[in-house]
Amino acid sequence: MKTQRLHGGRLVVLVIAAALVLGVATTAVLAATGVFRPTPSATRCGAPVLPGQVVDVTASDMGRGMMGGPGMMRLWPRPATVRPGQVSLRVFNAGSQAHEVLVLPLAAGQTAGNLPVGSDGKVDETGSLGEASNNCGAGEGDGIEPGAVGWTTVTLQPGRYELLCNMPGHYAAGMYTELDVTGA
């Protein structure tokens, strides 16, 4: 009986040791292939001094989902409430895919994340007040690359606004938030 427990204990120790060696070896191989390094095409840039109140928006994603589609995606504005007037959105792409941010007014009773998504995986941009999708620049472009910044400046009246990424599939994956404009 004692011998069986001794052999069982050794087996557990051997399995744990093998798992540890396999984990270290896998990490070493991935590090050697460059998986943990930023891609050479990653663009690093900053925004100039922007007019009005500045809202820093972080665009993040968890990479590709299990079926090759978008994973979990989010927009994080700081602050999420501003005063009426000139507002600059400075968007930093902390994700692994290109992103953009559009500003759409929210109607009374409407909440962020409830716009209909078309067959192209995008929402209707009609009524957009501004867009930050230019890599390392202001206004419209082809998307803000990972590690880069884009920006736009808009004039906002008191109300509620939806900030969203309209790259195909991103809105449906949760890439939207609300920006509130209150006070005078």
Side-chain angles (χ1 to χ4, degrees):
M1 185 79 155
K2 213 177 203 185
T3 306
Q4 283 180 332
R5 257 193 264 165
L6 189 59
H7 287 296
R10 285 184 186 165
L11 182 59
V12 169
V13 169
L14 285 173
V15 169
I16 291 171
L20 182 62
V21 168
L22 183 60
V24 169
T26 302
T27 302
V29 168
L30 291 174
T33 61
V35 169
F36 299 127
R37 287 190 295 258
T39 60
S41 64
T43 305
R44 305 279 184 227
C45 59
V49 175
L50 297 171
Q53 301 166 85
V54 176
V55 176
D56 285 305
V57 181
T58 301
S60 65
D61 60 69
M62 304 271 299
R64 297 269 178 213
M66 289 181 9
M67 303 305 278
M72 187 168 145
M73 300 188 167
R74 294 284 181 260
L75 291 176
W76 302 99
R78 282 176 313 248
T81 302
V82 294
R83 295 177 316 282
Q86 198 171 45
V87 177
S88 291
L89 302 175
R90 179 173 45 208
V91 182
F92 172 69
N93 185 351
S96 62
Q97 303 172 47
H99 296 296
E100 64 183 11
V101 172
L102 277 76
V103 182
L104 289 170
L106 280 169
Q110 185 182 12
T111 57
N114 289 310
L115 294 173
V117 178
S119 60
D120 61 353
K122 300 170 83 175
V123 301
D124 183 1
E125 296 182 5
T126 302
S128 173
L129 302 175
E131 177 176 334
S133 61
N134 192 1
N135 202 46
C136 299
E140 296 182 28
D142 295 325
I144 303 166
E145 294 299 320
V149 176
W151 56 91
T152 189
T153 300
V154 294
T155 300
L156 299 178
Q157 301 301 317
R160 298 168 40 249
Y161 297 86
E162 183 168 15
L163 306 181
L164 63 97
C165 179
N166 210 20
M167 301 297 272
H170 292 200
Y171 184 79
M175 204 154 203
Y176 54 82
T177 192
E178 186 173 317
L179 177 68
D180 296 319
V181 180
T182 61

